Amino acid sequence: MSRVHKRRHIGSWIVLVLCAVFFAVPIIALARFSFQKVPVVKLGWSTLFDKWTWDGLLTGLRDPKFQPAMWYSVRLVIATVVLSTVILLPTALWVHLRIPKARGAIEMLTLLPYVVPPITLAAGALGAFRDNSPALFRSEYFLVPFYVVMAMPFSFRAIDAGLRAIDLRTLVDASRSLGAGWTTTMFKVLIPNLRVALISSSFLTTTIVLGEFTLAFLVFKPTLPVFLQDFQMHEARGGSALALLLLIASGVLLGLITLLLRKRGGKADSASPIF
Amino acid sequence: MASALQFAQVRKTFGTTVALESLVLDLVPGELVSLLGPSGCGKTTALRIAAGFEVPDSGSITLGEQDITNRPAHKRNMGMVFQSYSLFPNLTVAENVAFGLRVRRLAATQRANRVGEMLERVQLSSKADQYPHQLSGGQQQRVALARALAVQPEVLLLDEPLSALDAKVRVALRDEIRRVQTELGTTTLFVTHDQEEALAISDRVGVMSSGRLEQVGTPTEIYRAPANSFVARFVGSMNELPAVRTSAGQVDVGGVVIEVGPSSGGSGGSSGASLRLLIRPEDVSLDVVDAAGTLSGSVVSQVFAGAATLVKVRLDTLDVLVTATVRGNEPRWLTGDRAGVRLDGRQAIQEQVDDDGLTDPEAVLLA
């Protein structure tokens, strides 16, 4: 290896280590705060191995409001994933097959949720639905359409990347030339070949829903993040422990997607440039 | 005999681009017809209209006795092999071949028999349980052929199925397609831009240009009696030489008078008319320089083409390059050799040109 290459190699490692430290330090700090029964002012090198305990986490898990909040969020995740897929998959297919020139515009449209902050979305939702559609507003699934919109920048991209990774038109034409209608083509040809893209889309939607706080809080829905915020007010360590657990769960989900993509590397439905 | 597939005055436009202009083509049962032409000539559009993937602006498509112009693709009972690999990646070879049969709800035993038979036909029985990504490109296209034929289609559509393959595999698969097609007697429409492919396996060839079908005929007719200058130039290679008509059946090329056969328009045009003579390389031979009835020139290159060598000669008097075919048993010619070029005009195409040497737009081929 030449000297220049060696220097570059070392430089890359330094950047990587700095990034790892940047992300790891707050998480380690959160973990120590959550799982060590040591006053915050005394958290240092000398107390690194002192008084580690699951008490905070167990308090959170045993709180009577935890399970309802968790299952409520799980129901929201399932409903959001289903609605997202039902809306976005046919839309993306339609765009790819019928109006490929509009792909750029549609992609731009799916980015709009980035522009609208959740607090604005909440204000709009409150104004539009609280008085005009109280039944809808009170429904426990009121948040689902908003979560579909908020997850759209990620979920649409995952599906779009999956569609770009396969020879969509040829597969559809081949299936139809063999006598298959649209339903058979969708379920026997497209969905099996978009499996990884759909899983990616679902996992990303899941992490968005599990992490969303502002909208749920402002429209008074007792989701897991809202419970966590409330719980943390009177049980700081337990709340942090639960938040860390949620963070790890999201990380595991993303890790699973990456593993899946690596496993399927080189096959038709593999590539997903969002990772 | 009734047509198996018929295009009647089919027209198709995409925006302002005319992809097909009044296409008329009949395929008789059991024959293999190729549509040959350069990129963008409309051949694939014609195939996609036959398959039901595009709807014509006007005209009709008839399958046997039935008008299928507006029938959806999945109800046409046609098999199709695509240019790009189109096997379903999530299914094994056997499952791919069985796909159309499963859609048609064929009983499991019959399905298994048919899959076995088709894989045997394309000599891939041993690959039945493999996935497409485990096969070579040639094998994938053979499976695609088996899959298309398994449903016993009324018409088989082939959309440049060999273009992604390397030369040797292409020739082998080309012959295999023809063998299987002949064995099963399936009417086939084959789209290609490769003239060698089209001429080698077709019963008839349709040459297309700018959305128009310029000529339909047997490979020999297309090659030896092209209907117009486009077909003459597109199929095979042509030497183009300026000439002047001297009398009926004779033209002057660079001071040498040669005979032109009656079939190539010997009776057309008046004496003194300027012409462009199109002569195939195999109608040009080399002799010793200054031999009677030859045009003298110098050899500038030779291209070895197996059974024959193509020798390019620059003519002294006309300053044009002429390609001659020299067979393996004839003397070798080297760059710089002086040679006499003998033209056999009996099969030549004559094109009228105006005084500036441009092809007269009003002129019809004299052939």
Side-chain angles (χ1 to χ4, degrees):
Chain A
M1 192 185 287
S2 73
R3 194 174 287 176
V4 177
H5 276 118
K6 208 171 182 178
R7 262 192 220 147
R8 277 189 194 157
H9 195 63
I10 293 169
S12 309
W13 272 106
I14 291 171
V15 172
L16 195 69
V17 169
L18 284 176
C19 288
V21 168
F22 181 78
F23 284 107
V25 166
I27 293 173
I28 292 167
L30 182 65
R32 291 194 65 185
F33 173 72
S34 307
F35 295 107
Q36 275 190 286
K37 243 182 184 168
V38 175
V40 177
V41 288
K42 288 189 179 172
L43 283 173
W45 288 110
S46 59
T47 55
L48 189 59
F49 299 105
D50 294 353
K51 296 181 181 174
W52 283 84
T53 173
W54 298 103
D55 284 357
L57 180 65
L58 292 175
T59 313
L61 292 174
R62 284 175 189 145
D63 190 285
K65 287 183 188 165
F66 170 72
Q67 282 207 13
M70 190 186 74
W71 290 119
Y72 179 40
S73 279
V74 168
R75 287 199 300 278
L76 286 178
V77 163
I78 293 168
T80 308
V81 165
V82 170
L83 190 63
S84 276
T85 310
V86 165
I87 292 174
L88 294 182
L89 180 59
T91 307
L93 274 173
W94 183 257
V95 170
H96 274 260
L97 289 172
R98 299 286 176 190
I99 41 170
K101 281 182 184 167
R103 211 175 65 83
I106 301 285
E107 208 173 320
M108 192 93 127
L109 196 72
T110 63
L111 280 175
L112 281 182
Y114 273 140
V115 186
V116 184
I119 198 155
T120 315
L121 202 61
L126 279 167
F129 296 103
R130 189 167 56 180
D131 297 329
N132 296 328
S133 300
L136 183 66
F137 185 73
R138 280 197 303 272
S139 158
E140 70 167 356
Y141 294 104
F142 175 70
L143 285 171
V144 171
F146 298 99
Y147 284 170
V148 169
V149 172
M150 290 171 81
M152 202 160 59
F154 306 98
S155 48
F156 183 82
R157 259 158 200 74
I159 292 173
D160 184 61
L163 288 174
R164 275 187 284 139
I166 59 174
D167 190 347
L168 179 66
R169 184 171 292 279
T170 304
L171 289 183
V172 169
D173 286 352
S175 170
R176 290 176 57 69
S177 75
L178 290 165
W182 274 108
T183 313
T184 310
T185 300
M186 181 73 102
F187 286 98
K188 299 280 183 194
V189 177
L190 295 181
I191 289 179
N193 286 299
L194 290 171
R195 202 181 55 186
V196 174
L198 292 174
I199 291 173
S200 301
S201 165
S202 305
F203 280 2
L204 288 166
T205 305
T206 302
T207 56
I208 297 286
V209 175
L210 287 181
E212 202 288 321
F213 167 75
T214 317
L215 184 63
F217 179 74
L218 292 173
V219 298
F220 322 114
K221 298 294 176 188
T223 61
L224 190 58
V226 172
F227 162 77
L228 281 178
Q229 192 271 343
D230 183 43
F231 183 69
Q232 213 160 13
M233 299 292 276
H234 57 88
E235 186 60 59
R237 287 181 196 278
S240 300
L242 283 176
L244 191 59
L245 195 68
L246 205 60
L247 183 72
I248 290 169
S250 301
V252 168
L253 277 180
L254 287 172
L256 277 175
I257 303 174
T258 314
L259 265 180
L260 260 175
L261 293 176
R262 279 199 191 149
K263 239 181 168 180
R264 306 276 305 175
K267 291 191 191 171
D269 58 348
S270 61
S272 181
I274 53 173
F275 298 112
Chain B
M1 192 184 287
S3 299
L5 179 70
Q6 186 176 45
F7 293 81
Q9 298 293 336
V10 173
R11 181 183 157 85
K12 177 72 182 173
T13 55
F14 294 104
T16 53
T17 309
V18 179
L20 273 185
E21 186 64 85
S22 306
L23 176 67
V24 175
L25 179 66
D26 286 356
L27 276 74
V28 298
E31 76 170 338
L32 191 157
V33 174
S34 291
L35 287 181
L36 173 69
S39 295
C41 70
K43 56 190 189 297
T44 296
T45 303
L47 194 85
R48 290 183 64 80
I49 286 174
F53 301 140
E54 304 285 352
V55 180
D57 298 342
S58 58
S60 65
I61 307 289
T62 311
L63 185 66
E65 302 287 311
Q66 292 178 312
D67 185 335
I68 58 160
T69 314
N70 296 308
R71 189 184 289 181
H74 65 287
K75 292 184 176 166
R76 292 197 175 195
N77 196 31
M78 292 189 183
M80 187 157 174
V81 181
F82 298 82
Q83 181 176 6
S84 49
Y85 305 135
S86 62
L87 297 184
F88 306 131
N90 56 312
L91 303 180
T92 63
V93 165
E95 287 166 345
N96 262 284
V97 178
F99 185 89
L101 306 172
R102 202 178 275 272
V103 169
R104 285 164 175 75
R105 300 183 194 284
L106 209 69
T109 328
Q110 282 177 287
R111 208 164 59 213
N113 289 341
R114 185 83 59 79
V115 169
E117 184 202 332
M118 293 319 301
L119 286 179
E120 211 167 290
R121 275 196 192 280
V122 296
Q123 295 158 23
L124 282 176
S125 302
S126 60
K127 307 281 183 188
D129 296 325
Q130 294 195 353
Y131 282 89
H133 72 270
Q134 296 172 295
L135 305 179
S136 68
Q139 287 171 334
Q140 288 196 44
Q141 290 302 66
R142 279 152 69 193
V143 176
L145 179 66
R147 183 178 68 176
L149 288 168
V151 297
Q152 297 180 325
E154 289 180 60
V155 175
L156 176 66
L157 305 171
L158 305 172
D159 184 10
E160 306 205 36
L162 310 174
S163 62
L165 307 174
D166 61 58
K168 206 168 176 183
V169 178
R170 202 158 58 217
V171 172
L173 188 53
R174 179 184 86 188
D175 295 343
E176 194 159 333
I177 287 174
R178 181 56 160 164
R179 176 181 61 78
V180 174
Q181 185 267 336
T182 312
E183 280 172 13
L184 296 174
T186 312
T187 310
T188 302
L189 184 59
F190 180 43
V191 157
T192 181
H193 63 266
D194 184 327
Q195 49 179 287
E196 191 193 324
E197 231 163 70
L199 297 178
I201 66 167
S202 311
D203 294 309
R204 287 188 300 147
V205 177
V207 182
M208 294 188 70
S209 165
S210 306
R212 291 177 184 280
L213 190 57
E214 301 285 353
Q215 186 180 3
V216 187
T218 63
T220 313
E221 284 167 356
I222 295 289
Y223 191 79
R224 275 296 170 196
N228 56 38
S229 56
F230 173 80
V231 178
R233 287 188 174 94
F234 186 75
V235 180
S237 55
M238 279 288 187
N239 291 298
E240 300 191 19
L241 295 155
V244 177
R245 180 170 302 289
T246 52
S247 63
Q250 285 191 326
V251 297
D252 181 314
V253 184
V256 174
V257 175
I258 64 167
E259 302 286 325
V260 285
S263 65
S264 61
S267 58
S270 55
S271 292
S274 295
L275 303 171
R276 183 174 288 120
L277 209 60
L278 307 179
I279 302 184
R280 300 260 181 224
E282 55 267 34
D283 293 330
V284 179
S285 56
L286 297 185
D287 205 339
V288 291
V289 71
D290 295 333
T294 65
L295 292 155
S296 57
S298 302
V299 174
V300 294
S301 68
Q302 316 89 14
V303 176
F304 178 67
T309 300
L310 297 174
V311 180
K312 279 195 192 307
V313 179
R314 183 172 295 283
L315 300 181
D316 296 337
T317 48
L318 297 171
D319 196 30
V320 293
L321 279 174
V322 172
T323 304
T325 303
V326 177
R327 276 162 192 82
N329 55 358
E330 293 173 27
R332 284 187 64 204
W333 294 87
L334 301 174
T335 304
D337 284 353
R338 298 284 296 159
V341 174
R342 191 178 304 283
L343 306 171
D344 181 350
R346 286 172 299 173
Q347 301 280 346
I349 307 296
Q350 298 156 64
E351 211 178 50
Q352 270 188 347
V353 292
D354 61 20
D355 292 338
D356 299 326
L358 301 169
T359 305
D360 184 350
E362 297 297 318
V364 289
L365 267 190
L366 299 177

